[in-house]
Amino acid sequence: MSDSREAELNQAPPQQVAPQQVAPQVVAAPNTKCLNKVRKQCIILIVLSLLTFLANLGLCAYYTYMSLTRYSRSYYYGSGFYYNYSTSFYTWRAGLCGAVAFISLCILIFAIVKHRRTKRKLRDSNQYVTQGVTYVYQGNMAPVFYPPPGAQWQQQPPQPGYVGMPYSQPAYGPLPPGQQPIQFPQPMQQQQPANPSQVSARAFGTTSTARSGSNSATAPALGFQLSEDQLSVQGAARQFVRDVVIPAAPHHDKTGEYPVDIIKQAWELGLVNCHIPTEYGGLGFGVFDSALVSEQLAYGCTGIQTAIEANTLAEAPVILAASDAQKKKYLGRMTEEPLMAAYCVTEPGAGSDVAGAKTTAVKKGDKWVVNGQKMWITNGGKANWYFLLAKTDPTANAGKAFTGFIVDGNSPGITVGRKEWNMGQRASDTRGITFEDVEVPDENRLGEVGQGFKIAMGAFDITRPLVASAAVGLAQRAMDEASAYALQRKTMGKQIIEHQAVAFMLADMAINTEASRMMVWRAAWLRDQNQRNTYYASIAKALASETANKCASDAVQIFGGNGFNCDYPVEKLMRDAKIFTIYEGTSQIQRLIISRTVADVAKQGL
């Protein structure tokens, strides 16, 4: 990272000015009475044209049948009553009825289209948009301001401190009768930040403004200027990465050695397990603050970051569903010494298809006996305890077939496999774990029996923004390395950064990296506000992971032949980046989640 960029990030936040109240501007709305009249006329026209169409269609079919069968019936019956009419009599009547049916169909289509347009205008004329009032889809999407036409709305006051658009924007419609303009929360006043290089994250574990799991009126607004505490956390993590992680990263990548000493130093600074609630000895960071730390750690080495962040994935189900006694026992110990934990869900035959997991847990007395095999378990050989997902009801559907357990790492019957030598992120410890008649006390069961799948999936709303933030850190590192190299390397008498082909590659890196960071921030902030963020977490994960791969690939291209060499940092970035599109839900799974949400919203608009 350049010195100028570091100075920019570390500078004191500018003084925020309270937003000004702006009187609502009234825009002429459509005539509601006229629209209602047109709508009723359309309904009458639809009914009449539909009846006319069906009647004439039936007559047309009857006369067509008669014209085709007259001679055969006359011959069979001799001088029957059919013989009194000529074929042309039925033919022209069939044609006339067909023409009337066609005209009726056209009128029917016109009336339906006109009715739908009138209904939409009528609905839109009843909507009020005032300062501080947002509209949200009636579904599982978070607030948006400009949804596509046809979406269903419901009026809601904003979440405390929510800033989606500038409060100074004028209104776009009349206020409802008797409603007063909303008073907006004042921005939090911020002081000059402390020197980040001299402050550790543990120093302000109870005061960071990202303790935003609360929805109280004092909750900070979502903005683009980090608070004093957040800047200090970010700065402390950045300094640790530059001093400790980056110099050691090549060694751990080449040897695969687990970074025990680095993790211990990070734990002492408060950069490990920082999301554990304060009542259990943690710092109580929200997802937003944790994402700031995760991005900085990944900037130095995503392998080391993954080893640290795997604790978050294992601890998330415990935070979500464990009893107070379980949290004190298993979360408390993580804050007393630098221990590791692991999330045991993936199996050799069940990755994206979690419902296909075959590990079983059978209850015998007050214990559960676990048998099965897990694969690609991060921190598998270093974990003090595991979060385990096992099938407890083979006949139930996926939503009720699984139960979550906390399994101590030293339990008899656990076999730890060999360390897998992966393409990238080699500092991380990835192994297979086998459970053979492992006894787990019922007191270690998380939540109710059959709720394990829901608990395991719920953890992803917390961890996917953090994985996405790590991808952003790698993308930022790739852009910084590429831009620094482009300033040094010269071709054709000038720096290659002055060639448009290279300059545009760097511009694309910046566009995608910044966009990914904003999506991470939104997904993390929504989770801290106790709002459902599944849709945005999937967008952040898919976008950031693919951005990391593109930025790393382009960085190698800018480095040219040097980029293909192991003595330069970008080839490691390219190897490390690939896993982001695979673990924590593949990019295809993220698109499946996103597309289903879009489809649900679209169906509600019909």
Side-chain angles (χ1 to χ4, degrees):
M1 185 184 295
S2 62
D3 294 335
S4 62
R5 184 174 184 278
E6 181 183 6
E8 179 182 353
L9 289 175
N10 290 337
Q11 66 182 355
Q15 184 73 18
Q16 297 191 21
V17 181
Q20 299 178 353
Q21 287 286 352
V22 180
Q25 297 180 356
V26 179
V27 180
N31 191 325
T32 304
K33 183 180 295 185
C34 180
L35 289 174
N36 278 321
K37 183 177 180 181
V38 173
R39 182 167 171 264
K40 292 178 181 178
Q41 292 174 347
C42 288
I43 294 175
I44 295 173
L45 188 58
I46 289 173
V47 174
L48 292 178
S49 58
L50 178 60
L51 293 175
T52 304
F53 169 72
L54 294 176
N56 282 275
L57 185 64
L59 289 173
C60 179
Y62 170 76
Y63 288 131
T64 301
Y65 172 79
M66 295 298 293
S67 67
L68 295 176
T69 60
R70 175 187 175 278
Y71 284 111
S72 61
R73 287 178 178 269
S74 298
Y75 178 78
Y76 182 79
Y77 292 106
S79 299
F81 66 90
Y82 292 108
Y83 192 75
N84 296 328
Y85 301 97
S86 63
T87 305
S88 60
F89 174 85
Y90 298 107
T91 302
W92 72 264
R93 285 201 172 191
L96 178 62
C97 292
V100 175
F102 176 79
I103 294 173
S104 301
L105 179 61
C106 294
I107 296 174
L108 176 63
I109 295 174
F110 168 80
I112 292 175
V113 172
K114 183 67 174 177
H115 177 266
R116 288 177 62 85
R117 290 180 177 176
T118 305
K119 184 178 179 181
R120 183 178 297 120
K121 290 181 181 178
L122 184 63
R123 183 184 60 230
D124 292 344
S125 69
N126 293 328
Q127 304 305 315
Y128 300 94
V129 182
T130 60
Q131 291 178 329
V133 176
T134 63
Y135 293 91
V136 298
Y137 289 125
Q138 291 179 348
N140 53 5
M141 293 183 66
V144 293
F145 284 89
Y146 298 108
Q152 293 292 329
W153 311 79
Q154 62 179 359
Q155 192 173 9
Q156 286 187 351
Q159 294 292 332
Y162 177 75
V163 179
M165 291 180 63
Y167 284 147
S168 59
Q169 290 289 333
Y172 296 97
L175 282 168
Q179 179 171 325
Q180 299 297 324
I182 294 177
Q183 301 297 322
F184 312 112
Q186 298 296 322
M188 297 185 64
Q189 299 297 323
Q190 299 176 346
Q191 301 177 354
Q192 184 73 14
N195 185 354
S197 63
Q198 298 177 356
V199 183
S200 79
R202 195 172 289 278
F204 33 79
T206 59
T207 61
S208 174
T209 60
R211 307 296 81 75
S212 50
S214 171
N215 286 325
S216 66
T218 59
L222 173 62
F224 300 103
Q225 176 62 51
L226 300 181
S227 69
E228 174 188 355
D229 288 345
Q230 289 168 336
L231 287 172
S232 297
V233 171
Q234 187 184 58
R238 180 184 296 119
Q239 193 65 41
F240 173 74
V241 165
R242 291 196 172 194
D243 294 344
V244 179
V245 177
I246 291 179
H251 167 76
H252 290 281
D253 178 65
K254 292 178 180 179
T255 64
E257 179 184 342
Y258 194 73
V260 176
D261 292 338
I262 295 177
I263 292 176
K264 183 177 181 181
Q265 294 180 57
W267 181 86
E268 292 173 347
L269 283 175
L271 302 178
V272 183
N273 306 319
C274 50
H275 60 286
I276 293 178
T278 54
E279 55 265 35
Y280 304 108
L283 300 179
F285 278 18
V287 180
F288 191 96
D289 279 1
S290 298
L292 298 178
V293 174
S294 179
E295 178 182 339
Q296 295 303 317
L297 293 175
Y299 185 95
C301 176
T302 56
I304 296 175
Q305 181 274 337
T306 296
I308 292 175
E309 201 59 47
N311 274 14
T312 301
L313 180 58
E315 293 160 357
V318 178
I319 294 175
L320 290 174
S323 65
D324 185 65
Q326 290 171 332
K327 291 178 181 179
K328 288 181 179 179
K329 180 178 180 181
Y330 289 99
L331 297 181
R333 69 173 66 170
M334 305 299 287
T335 64
E336 296 170 355
E337 56 180 312
L339 301 176
M340 311 308 293
Y343 182 86
C344 283
V345 172
T346 302
E347 297 186 3
S352 297
D353 181 20
V354 177
K358 299 185 182 304
T359 298
T360 62
V362 179
K363 190 171 185 181
K364 294 184 178 180
D366 60 347
K367 296 182 179 180
W368 295 81
V369 179
V370 179
N371 284 279
Q373 184 179 6
K374 299 295 183 178
M375 190 59 189
W376 311 116
I377 306 304
T378 304
N379 287 348
K382 308 295 180 180
N384 179 264
W385 55 268
Y386 304 95
F387 166 76
L388 174 71
L389 187 68
K391 183 172 291 186
T392 52
D393 187 353
T395 62
N397 57 35
K400 298 181 179 180
F402 295 92
T403 302
F405 300 92
I406 303 175
V407 183
D408 289 303
N410 58 359
S411 300
I414 295 179
T415 302
V416 178
R418 66 178 178 87
K419 174 182 169 64
E420 301 294 333
W421 189 254
N422 297 323
M423 172 194 288
Q425 298 196 4
R426 293 171 178 167
S428 172
D429 185 79
T430 306
R431 300 173 186 260
I433 308 294
T434 303
F435 297 87
E436 296 181 3
D437 295 328
V438 177
E439 294 184 351
V440 181
D442 188 60
E443 64 184 23
N444 278 23
R445 170 174 47 82
L446 280 182
E448 299 297 328
V449 175
Q451 296 297 310
F453 186 85
K454 180 180 179 181
I455 295 170
M457 296 301 102
F460 288 140
D461 288 346
I462 298 174
T463 58
R464 277 176 179 157
L466 300 179
V467 172
S469 68
V472 171
L474 188 147
Q476 185 69 56
R477 174 73 181 279
M479 184 176 72
D480 289 349
E481 295 286 355
S483 57
Y485 183 82
L487 288 172
Q488 300 173 6
R489 173 73 167 153
K490 292 183 178 181
T491 62
M492 304 172 192
K494 59 182 178 180
Q495 298 169 328
I496 63 174
I497 200 171
E498 298 178 12
H499 295 297
Q500 189 181 72
V502 174
F504 279 15
M505 292 173 71
L506 293 171
D508 288 338
M509 289 184 189
I511 292 170
N512 293 325
T513 301
E514 294 296 341
S516 299
R517 182 178 288 115
M518 291 300 100
M519 281 308 309
V520 169
W521 284 18
R522 180 167 193 178
W525 182 85
L526 285 171
R527 185 63 183 81
D528 287 343
Q529 299 303 311
N530 294 325
Q531 299 183 31
R532 186 175 182 183
N533 70 334
T534 304
Y535 173 77
Y536 292 104
S538 291
I539 292 178
K541 169 64 168 59
L543 178 62
S545 62
E546 293 173 7
T547 293
N549 277 269
K550 184 65 167 60
C551 288
S553 177
D554 286 350
V556 171
Q557 190 69 21
I558 291 173
F559 270 70
N562 291 335
F564 196 68
N565 187 277
C566 294
D567 291 334
Y568 290 82
V570 290
E571 68 86 25
K572 175 183 181 296
L573 297 179
M574 189 171 181
R575 289 187 287 106
D576 288 349
K578 182 57 192 172
I579 191 61
F580 282 109
T581 63
I582 299 174
Y583 67 5
E584 206 80 8
T586 65
S587 293
Q588 289 69 34
I589 291 294
Q590 308 309 322
R591 283 176 168 81
L592 185 63
I593 296 171
I594 296 165
S595 63
R596 285 178 176 175
T597 304
V598 172
D600 289 342
V601 173
K603 290 175 183 177
Q604 294 178 21
L606 295 178

